[in-house]
Amino acid sequence: MTQIIDGKVISKQIKDELKEKAASLKSEGVSVTLAVIQVGNDPASTVYVNNKKKGCEYIGISSLSYELAEKTSEEELLSLIEELNGRKDVNGILVQLPLPAHIDEDKVIKAIDPVKDVDGFHPQNVGALCIGQPGFVSCTPAGIIQLLKRSGIKIAGKECVILGRSNIVGKPMSLLMLKENATVTVAHSKTANLEEVTKRADILIVAIGKPKMVTKDYVKEGAVVIDVGINRDENNKLCGDVDFDQVSPICSAITPVPGGVGPMTIAMLLNNCLESVNLQK
């Protein structure tokens, strides 16, 4: 029987643990604040930002919200980040991506103080992850590690294939799986004989951005499949990068979309907000 890995249940466990941690910090007189900046009113971004605010409220930390007009200049955004970097009462700064085309995303990520970069995107935090130093880890890969561990899935010694090489998921995911003693292959759109490569995986993590691309032909029987994708199918229904109906009967465990990896991203963001207190010491 295939195990369906429930990200809603696991993310709630994590948030409840964080709630206790936040209460304990509060009793020591330590308050935690996350500043969230959104430029423009992209509907998907608005949903994410609202979920982040609700998450802060749930675990008992403060959030500041900056909703800037689409036409906000890069200079204005960088000046706001600089102000928040300097504020002692702000622990985490998050700029909701994507940004409007006239703003350089890279420049904005680099402008955030690394000890306030709760998204874990700053080059300093990525470098720290590479060499095993303390720093923020990007939330989706960190959430996947928690999904696996809390579902009783052994990582050490397993063959892991990551399909996708983005800076936000694929690359940090490969480093985290190495840290957990998996043997890691990163595959992508230019990989030759892709199906043969993914079929070697005991743990297959898919972050390719193509609806239902991974069919049963890509998956070894009994593998664990983690689907990071979030897309719309031909009927405008949410779906992942994995064809769930085809793949779920042959794997040992799988994440659904929605309700798998998605809820974990916010749980790990909240975790990073509380971790910021230690990093900022």
Side-chain angles (χ1 to χ4, degrees):
M1 185 71 179
T2 305
Q3 177 186 359
I4 306 296
I5 299 173
D6 191 333
K8 286 183 188 165
V9 168
I10 295 171
S11 70
K12 174 134 186 349
Q13 284 169 4
I14 292 170
K15 286 193 281 195
D16 287 341
E17 289 162 18
L18 295 174
K19 202 179 197 172
E20 284 180 26
K21 206 169 166 185
S24 158
L25 284 169
K26 202 169 259 183
S27 71
E28 294 164 22
V30 179
S31 60
V32 180
T33 301
L34 169 68
V36 182
I37 304 170
Q38 181 182 355
V39 184
N41 50 6
D42 173 70
S45 290
T46 302
V47 170
Y48 289 133
V49 165
N50 286 337
N51 286 341
K52 285 163 187 171
K53 286 189 224 165
K54 280 184 201 154
C56 288
E57 204 176 310
Y58 182 82
I59 70 161
I61 65 174
S62 308
S63 66
L64 300 172
S65 192
Y66 297 87
E67 281 140 21
L68 309 180
E70 183 88 22
K71 60 180 194 300
T72 300
S73 71
E74 187 180 282
E75 200 180 334
E76 287 169 304
L77 177 57
L78 292 172
S79 149
L80 171 60
I81 290 169
E82 193 179 341
E83 181 201 319
L84 294 169
N85 280 340
R87 277 179 60 171
K88 292 265 191 294
D89 62 331
V90 171
N91 304 80
I93 301 168
L94 185 150
V95 178
Q96 184 63 44
L97 305 178
L99 288 165
H102 65 279
I103 296 176
D104 181 343
E105 233 164 67
D106 197 42
K107 201 184 269 185
V108 168
I109 288 167
K110 285 177 180 163
I112 298 170
D113 183 339
V115 296
K116 295 190 178 189
D117 162 46
V118 284
D119 256 336
F121 295 163
H122 191 285
Q124 186 174 311
N125 283 319
V126 178
L129 175 62
C130 269
I131 57 170
Q133 295 288 319
F136 292 115
V137 177
S138 51
C139 304
T140 301
I144 290 168
I145 295 290
Q146 288 299 317
L147 276 181
L148 292 168
K149 287 184 167 179
R150 289 171 186 249
S151 301
I153 293 160
K154 186 170 176 281
I155 304 172
K158 293 296 172 74
E159 179 111 14
C160 171
V161 176
I162 297 159
L163 186 45
R165 53 178 165 179
S166 72
N167 291 339
I168 289 173
V169 181
K171 288 175 188 166
M173 192 74 245
S174 65
L175 293 165
L176 286 178
M177 291 303 273
L178 279 173
K179 193 177 169 192
E180 296 294 334
N181 300 313
T183 299
V184 180
T185 301
V186 178
H188 43 79
S189 57
K190 300 287 187 289
T191 300
N193 308 319
L194 185 58
E195 289 178 18
E196 284 173 35
V197 174
T198 57
K199 257 193 152 137
R200 295 203 308 257
D202 301 310
I203 300 172
L204 176 61
I205 299 170
V206 185
I208 204 87
K210 291 187 177 167
K212 299 185 184 180
M213 181 193 134
V214 171
T215 61
K216 63 181 192 308
D217 300 332
Y218 288 78
V219 181
K220 174 169 84 175
E221 187 138 355
V224 172
V225 178
I226 304 289
D227 188 352
V228 185
I230 186 138
N231 314 287
R232 296 265 173 197
D233 67 11
E234 61 283 358
N235 305 315
N236 205 32
K237 248 183 89 179
L238 280 178
C239 69
D241 294 349
V242 175
D243 189 326
F244 186 88
D245 294 339
Q246 264 201 43
V247 171
S248 56
I250 64 162
C251 57
S252 61
I254 189 168
T255 56
V257 175
V261 173
M264 297 300 293
T265 302
I266 288 177
M268 298 319 288
L269 166 73
L270 298 169
N271 179 67
N272 281 353
C273 289
L274 293 186
E275 284 298 310
S276 68
V277 174
N278 292 329
L279 279 174
Q280 283 154 23
K281 276 177 187 167

